[in-house]
Amino acid sequence: MSAQAQMRAMLDQLMGTSRDGDTTRQRIKFSDDRVCKSHLLNCCPHDVLSGTRMDLGECLKVHDLALRADYEIASKDQDFFFELDAMDHLQSFIADCDRRTEVAKKRLAETQEEISAEVAAKAERVHELNEEIGKLLAKVEQLGADGNVEESQKVMDEVEKARVKKREAEEVYRNSMPASSFQQQKLRVCEVCSAYLGLHDNDRRLADHFGGKLHLGFIEIREKLEELRSSPQRSNQDAAGAIPHLRRRSLQRVEFLASCPEGGETWVWPDLQLGLWLINKRNEIRNV
């Protein structure tokens, strides 16, 4: 991106679509269904994972920093309940990721050599220490980049202690297996981003993984989803105000709901009244 394009993007983000009187950019509003609500809340996976091994490409919905600025300005005076749309989006994305993780685990279980539960527990201990070392090394690099040398040295001392524990755990694991089997690379799947991690990965590989954009991006997405799920319950007045918005948004989904089998509703609705309204609407369609 050129310096001019970067300046234009910064102005868009600060001032919105009307920053230079350009009315053509105002043909689409931030409330339009074509606009990505996750992008407005700065949590769209297409943005967060851009440039990583799991780059999702361009989002099918509109992304525009100027529209985000418009939304941030307007949301100071009115609640648009876009958090609900973003939560739906992130829940679907994370559920898909977790499914891939389970598939990868099953594939590993089928392809890797069978080991006893006792040996598996010892290998898991090595994996846990690998993860601890990787996270600490990523933290050391971040502290060093921030110029916090003293704190970085303290964390490095923790790394050395973890390395000692890892060597001890590897020795215990080695003594419990034949030499030929120990040399085989034992893999596990990262629970956060579904990448593969090796039992014998070196420190550089561990730091690259746990401090990498992909892993940190998934942490950001998961933390944002938890934030949306655990946000304080709105007052009854706010909840009542959300129902008309959700009804309008959900009318486009009613036909799909009508095709679901009885008891097959899997959506998590934030308001019981809305859920009952949708089910009644589904039943009305079936009776036509």
Side-chain angles (χ1 to χ4, degrees), residues 29-44:
K29 303 294 185 182
F30 65 81
S31 56
D32 195 296
D33 287 339
R34 292 171 291 176
V35 176
C36 177
K37 304 305 185 291
S38 299
H39 171 71
L40 297 181
L41 292 169
N42 195 27
C43 61
C44 180

Side-chain angles (χ1 to χ4, degrees), residues 8 22 60 88 96 102 108 140 160 200 236 240 251 255 282:
R8 186 180 297 112
D22 184 1
L60 296 177
D88 280 350
D96 184 57
E102 291 304 315
L108 280 180
V140 167
E160 291 302 326
H200 307 305
N236 292 335
L251 278 172
E255 290 292 344
R282 190 266 314 270

